[in-house]
Amino acid sequence: MKLPVDDTTLTSWAALLGLSEEQTTDVLHEIEKTLRTWYDRRPTAQHHLTFEEATADTDPDELARMFLTSGLRATGDHDTACAVEVRLIFFHHQAMSHTD
């Protein structure tokens, strides 16, 4: 899977979280698994796209959030991963409320 960030960025994220090489690989597989689950349920209008085409424009910020939460779980910090996800959901809700 081609990610919308370069290897230096991925290495920096992994170093920030203190991930081993194996943990980083596991995190990237978890992200791909999540995206493939979305792909299997993608909107009808996107059924003509391959997985690579459908995920090519994945927002780098969204990927960073996925890497952060998956990375925290890989290090065993499930409570912080959950707290980050709750904050992201709240922030997204707030942002959507302001667009109305």
Side-chain angles (χ1 to χ4, degrees):
M1 175 180 164
K2 175 72 176 122
L3 298 172
V5 294
D6 58 37
D7 289 340
T8 302
T9 300
L10 288 174
T11 301
S12 296
W13 291 349
L16 180 66
L17 293 171
L19 299 177
S20 68
E21 210 171 297
E22 183 180 338
Q23 287 172 316
T24 301
T25 299
D26 290 345
V27 166
L28 293 174
H29 284 212
E30 185 64 28
I31 290 170
E32 182 173 356
K33 181 180 165 186
T34 299
L35 291 173
R36 286 192 182 277
T37 298
W38 165 83
Y39 178 75
D40 290 343
R41 296 177 174 98
R42 69 195 180 282
T44 304
Q46 294 181 349
H47 277 219
H48 66 284
L49 299 174
T50 66
F51 175 75
E52 290 74 20
E53 291 169 335
T55 58
D57 64 346
T58 300
D59 180 45
D61 291 339
E62 180 62 25
L63 179 63
R65 291 186 286 271
M66 293 172 77
F67 194 94
L68 173 61
T69 56
S70 295
L72 287 167
R73 283 193 176 83
T75 63
D77 198 347
H78 299 278
D79 291 342
T80 302
C82 184
V84 168
E85 288 175 329
V86 168
R87 286 183 179 96
L88 290 170
I89 290 167
F90 178 75
F91 175 76
H92 180 72
H93 175 73
Q94 290 287 71
M96 295 302 290
S97 295
H98 292 301
T99 60
D100 294 340

